[in-house]
Amino acid sequence: MGKLALVLVVVLGATAAIPFVAAAEERPRDPLIHGLASFLVPGLGQYLNGESDKALVHFLVAVAIPTAGYSLARLTVNPILAYGVPLLQLGWHVYSAMDAYNVAQAYNEAHGFSSLNLGPKLGG
């Protein structure tokens, strides 16, 4: 439990150290980057979208699933629960990625950014 608390403090401290993008300058958001970020670390894509409360919830659920699932599997001595935890965790990662992708895409549409001009500009 002490290691989990240490990881949580380090991750939250790292996200607090990242400077928040100023809202005065509206920029297009790349939904693929936000979705991939949230797939790798649930909540990171939501944080990039400016939804820090939702980001914290997504991250805490991602930490709680294996913690509670494996603890419950050990208490009940049920190996089926132990096999179901990774599937549930994968499902949460996919949901978090889809949410971050959809929010970034909706932001672009609401602010009039085309999805065609999100890539890097080549040749100057």
Side-chain angles (χ1 to χ4, degrees):
M1 191 64 167
K3 292 179 184 179
L4 178 63
L6 177 64
V7 168
L8 185 62
V9 167
V10 168
V11 169
L12 291 177
T15 57
I18 298 172
F20 197 75
V21 177
E25 182 183 349
E26 295 178 354
R27 296 176 158 180
R29 298 177 180 169
D30 190 349
L32 290 175
I33 297 295
H34 291 216
L36 180 63
S38 204
F39 180 76
L40 296 175
V41 178
L44 184 57
Q46 285 76 12
Y47 183 78
L48 293 173
N49 281 329
E51 301 174 312
S52 56
D53 292 341
K54 189 192 279 189
L56 182 62
V57 170
H58 277 250
F59 179 75
L60 291 178
V61 169
V63 171
I65 288 172
T67 304
Y70 288 127
S71 297
L72 188 61
R74 285 180 85 192
L75 288 174
T76 61
V77 191
N78 188 349
I80 295 173
L81 280 176
Y83 293 123
V85 170
L87 293 175
L88 187 60
Q89 184 76 17
L90 178 64
W92 184 252
H93 281 252
V94 169
Y95 170 75
S96 185
M98 288 173 38
D99 177 61
Y101 179 89
N102 290 334
V103 169
Q105 192 171 27
Y107 174 86
N108 288 340
E109 290 173 3
H111 289 85
F113 297 120
S114 170
S115 62
L116 299 176
N117 62 4
L118 292 177
K121 303 220 183 318
L122 299 176

